[in-house]
Amino acid sequence: MNRPTGLSPLMAWPAAIGALVLAAGGARSQEPDAGPDRDLEQIVVTAQKREQTLMEIPQSITVVSAELLERQQANDFEDYLQLVPGLSLQSSTPGVSRISLRGVNTGGVASTVGVYVDEVPFGSSTGLANAAILAGDFDTFDVARLEVLRGPQGTLYGASSLGGVLRFVTNAPSTEAFEFRAQAGIEDVESGGLGWSARSLVNVPLSENFAVRASGFYRFDDGFIDSIGNNPIPSLTDPANNIVDGSQLIDDLNETDTFGGRVSGLFDTGAGFTAEVTAMFQNIESGGSDLFEADPETYEPLYGGMVRSQYHREPTDTEYRIYSAELNWDLDAGSLLSSTSFSTFEQDFQDDVALLVAGPGLNLAQVATLLYGDPATRPLSALQQQVTATDKFTQEIRFASPDGQAVEWLAGLYFTREESGIDPQQIFAAEAGTDTIAEGVPMLLGASLTSDYDEYAAFGNATWHVTDRFELGLGGRASRNEQSASQVLDQTGIGGGVINFDEANSSEDVFTWSFAPRFELADEHALYARIATGYRPGGPNVLPPGTPPGVPGSYDSDSLTSYEVGLKSDWPDAGVTLDVAAFWQDWEDIQLFAVIDNVGFNANGGAAVSKGLEFTATARPLEGVQVSLNGAWTDAYLEQDTDPVVGGLDGDPLPWIPDWSTTLAVDYEWMPFGDVTAWVGGDVSYTGERSSGFGEPGPADPIRFAPSYTTLDLRAGVDTGRWTVELYGRNLTDEPGILSLGGFGPGVPGDAAQVSIIRPLTIGLTVGVEF
């Protein structure tokens, strides 16, 4: 109930309902594998939109290989969080996730990390479609690697890459050989039951010039949260009495089905031209959020376990669709690429709003009963249904000079058109204790917010190899965006009318740049520095008639300037690699969500700073043994007070950013006989204390903190060359690491906290086969 699915720019529901009820009734209210045994000179990536080794790139990048993802059983954000230093996650529902890099997070509704699938940018660029909490959480099956670029990437990846980019690089079709793989698995979760998974892929060369690759997966994760019927809806006349025991009894309510697939076709002339077309989809269908009711001081579960009082089911269905075409020409003068894509995102959910505060002394269930029911004979409750969606078309064309020249350069053009909507957003009266919308009762309240976003950009990057060991990199991107938005609010069900908001429009021009010198101390050791800027687009605020003074009609883009120095070293003979970076980031005109006189809007705040250190080190002290240590120290905080309605003060930490996060992994691989490979391994991961937000204005030190936690994972397996078997255990200490923290007041039974945690202790087994 009152699930924190994020903020939308719509007018606050409770204020609208409370005011109108008072008026109405007077009642009270494939590139080479980047496996764990590769050194920095061997790992080839396309992070800078041309093939390079990690050693050659003057910025902080983490590459997670397909082999590592598979051995770690890392399917989604939560699973590979520990593999990426500086990556932070806030989540309470599968498919509803906020990710951030290097501490760049203040809450709000626009994303700070760009998510890409190959050449396709995914998700909304604006602050009008809840993009911040709807990051594309793609399954990693048949992904060649993840590339995580830290710091602003505005010169190459544009809008919404303020804090960095997370890029899924998929395996392309191959004309070389037939390939088939299949895998099945089961796992058991503490406080829940058995889950299972199945996945397979096939690559078929149809000729020397044509190939098709197809993959699919299905994963069922059993739930571990139960709903209990111990919190009746209070009476209208006497809060000590009950209207009805309206909460539901549900076991494992947060069980989740995740499934999807991808089909790609490749045409390769063999003479410098290739064309690849791809269609992919993924669905995440959750029966409910991961939230449970907890003590507001200790965050320990109430009522004897991870349970909550749910009056209505809260299913969430999330759908990803991507259709793309990538054309490549290798020419004497360089290489030309055209990437065209159309992607869609849609989230449908139902929310339990029975106890949502609707005015002084009233919640929505009481309002519905007052207007259309009867406390004795027909007690009513309330639920919300909402659809959030974005359709996105993109076209990018770029030309890159040949490698090996004194000056290597790349230039391109980019266009995107996005049509988004939080449409519809509706609150209905429901029969108490059921999910049945009450017959004969009009919709209590409805709203729709639709928006369009167009962006045009030209960009270029160049690297001047001044000497054999010293180079200078420079990049720039000029862009213009144009936006429009409109909103309708329907209040007829609570005695009001229909309000058509005036259409709002905005436009702005933004320029971002980067400068990166790099110096090779030796063939396997390089120092670099990087200064780079990034931005998030501003946009219009859709405001109702009579909006109070001080509410802006639009908000500006915020900007971030990053200063980074780093060292990348490789000692191949000793089996040691080291990648370390220190950074300082100045964030100005930060975008925040605020409310004035019950009108919600986006606005620009003051400034923030994020500084820190990140490192990844690996060593192979003995044959078959690898030890790796990664970590990040981040100090991210406001530099100025924000508006009192937001609650942030100078010096407050930015939310959901741990001060320290580290992972120590030890793996041993050997060949017990013949061609059989065996391995054992384990990880210990630590995540530090995190603030859950800026708190409510008023009380002294209102900030709440999620405690630190440490997890242990173990794994063991064998690979015969044809068959693979792996046994694994995740979170073996059953640590209740908190991923979301809210509640603490009206709208939650007993004013409890609402907490979601990482997946409890899980034991699993997978079996795979390949040809």
Side-chain angles (χ1 to χ4, degrees), residues 330-343:
D330 285 333
L331 308 171
D332 292 338
S335 60
L336 179 65
L337 178 143
S338 170
S339 174
T340 307
S341 67
F342 178 74
S343 61

Side-chain angles (χ1 to χ4, degrees), residues 166-183:
L166 173 62
R167 187 164 177 255
F168 297 83
V169 181
T170 65
N171 287 310
S174 172
T175 59
E176 297 299 317
F178 174 84
E179 179 185 3
F180 173 81
R181 291 184 61 207
Q183 185 186 81

Side-chain angles (χ1 to χ4, degrees), residues 70-73 679 715-717 724-728 764-766:
E70 187 165 330
R71 288 199 178 179
Q72 296 270 22
Q73 301 297 320
W679 69 88
R715 55 192 169 273
T724 303
V725 179
E726 180 170 359
L727 176 68
Y728 62 92
L765 176 71
T766 62

Side-chain angles (χ1 to χ4, degrees), residues 301-319:
L302 297 174
Y303 317 122
M306 290 185 292
V307 299
R308 72 170 181 263
S309 305
Q310 183 171 280
Y311 299 91
H312 303 286
R313 292 182 180 267
E314 296 185 318
T316 298
D317 293 342
T318 303
E319 297 181 356

Side-chain angles (χ1 to χ4, degrees), residues 8-12 541-544 551 593-602:
S8 73
L10 302 178
M11 182 185 295
N541 280 316
V542 188
L543 304 175
V551 178
F593 187 82
V595 178
I596 294 180
D597 289 351
N598 303 316
V599 175
F601 61 95
N602 289 309

